[in-house]
Amino acid sequence: VHGDTSFESASDRSNVLHLSAGRPMESLAPDDEAPLAQARALIWAMVPVPQLLGRLQLDVLSGVDAQRWLLDNALLCPSRERFPGSPLYDSLLCKRLLGEIEARRGECDERLLALYAEASAAAASAAPMFWRLYQAYGDASVGAAVDPIAIRVLRNYDEVGLATWPAGFSLADTLLDNAAAYLSGRHVVELGAGVGFTGIALLKARADFAHLSLSDSVPSVVENMRVNLAANGFGDESTRISTAVFNWNDSDAAAEALLAGPH
């Protein structure tokens, strides 16, 4: 697992959930909206820049209207202002986008240039943690309101519990696709919940479970998990949600902590 330098890597460890477009622009053709919605989801999840560009329709992005859409709905939108991403990622992305626009002799939105300058200046002194955004489960129609899952991660991935992992996305998919069998009326316990992505996805989707216990063995990871829960509107632990430090080496204490919630 790489740190921030993985933004230049071709390996993709970020799955993307359901997509939806934000505020459309009248000057954009309807066929352009879906690629832009996909671009936003990939940018929010911080898919490595080379792979991101390989997936995008760069001819669409070379137009000023498309650039404005991405700036207004992805890079400079209220969600990103509330949950800042990595300046290094933004710098790399803007640099590559500007190069692609120049190669196609396209016109550039001045805010893209300003964002590149600002992100490049901030990259050297960036905070050790930043936010990834994932489109929440729900209405995936073009023009749907966007309520992303916000996840705070550690910049250099020194602690595995402070990173997002493909297994978390797959687990959320599996549980929600089989909710009646795995969740309905049950007390659900997640071991090694890390950043809490899977549990937050279940909560956002209003999954029908009796109680959800999210646990990890590292206290600092559980603390960050609680930050992520609060950021997504689940800060006050209720009768349906609880968090706990699961000490792998003390099974009795772990069981007591995990089973403390209602059944």
Side-chain angles (χ1 to χ4, degrees):
V1 178
H2 305 282
D4 262 359
T5 54
S6 69
F7 297 146
E8 285 281 20
S9 169
S11 63
D12 178 9
R13 64 172 184 274
S14 299
N15 193 4
V16 179
L17 305 183
H18 301 291
L19 310 177
S20 66
R23 180 174 58 82
M25 297 181 64
E26 294 180 358
S27 54
L28 287 174
D31 290 344
D32 290 342
E33 291 182 349
L36 290 172
Q38 182 185 42
R40 179 182 58 190
L42 297 172
I43 290 170
W44 276 2
M46 296 188 185
V47 169
V49 173
Q51 188 159 357
L52 167 68
L53 295 180
R55 295 185 185 182
L56 300 184
Q57 294 186 19
L58 294 173
D59 289 338
V60 173
L61 294 181
S62 63
V64 175
D65 287 332
Q67 295 169 42
R68 289 172 181 165
W69 192 98
L70 278 182
L71 288 163
D72 291 338
N73 293 280
L75 293 167
L76 300 176
C77 64
S79 292
R80 183 47 85 192
E81 291 177 2
R82 181 183 175 192
F83 303 110
S86 164
L88 176 57
Y89 183 85
D90 288 347
S91 174
L92 292 171
L93 174 61
C94 291
K95 179 179 180 180
R96 293 291 298 272
L97 283 177
L98 290 169
E100 295 291 343
I101 293 168
E102 182 179 6
R104 288 166 171 74
R105 301 181 181 276
E107 184 181 350
C108 178
D109 188 296
E110 291 185 358
R111 291 181 299 161
L112 189 61
L113 288 167
L115 177 60
Y116 172 54
E118 180 182 345
S120 299
S125 58
M129 303 192 81
F130 60 87
W131 296 85
R132 292 179 186 266
L133 299 177
Y134 299 91
Q135 180 56 49
Y137 289 83
D139 188 355
S141 61
V142 172
V146 175
D147 181 23
I149 297 174
I151 299 294
R152 191 175 71 164
V153 298
L154 184 65
R155 175 179 172 183
N156 292 321
Y157 290 79
D158 294 329
E159 168 55 60
V160 296
L162 297 177
T164 50
W165 297 92
F169 309 128
S170 298
L171 180 58
D173 277 330
T174 299
L175 291 174
L176 289 172
D177 287 344
N178 300 276
Y182 294 148
L183 300 175
S184 183
R186 296 178 182 270
H187 181 153
V188 181
V189 177
E190 183 179 4
L191 309 181
V195 293
F197 175 88
T198 301
I200 292 170
L202 299 184
L203 291 163
K204 285 268 190 177
R206 297 180 174 86
D208 180 23
F209 51 79
H211 183 264
L212 176 64
S213 296
L214 302 179
S215 72
D216 203 279
S217 62
V218 181
S220 60
V221 170
V222 175
E223 180 181 351
N224 184 63
M225 186 194 306
R226 291 169 180 154
V227 170
N228 288 331
L229 283 165
N232 289 277
F234 308 107
D236 296 328
E237 294 190 9
S238 66
T239 57
R240 297 191 72 221
I241 315 165
S242 65
T243 58
V245 175
F246 187 112
N247 184 343
W248 307 104
N249 297 314
D250 187 346
S251 59
D252 291 337
E256 182 179 353
L258 288 173
L259 299 178
H263 295 268

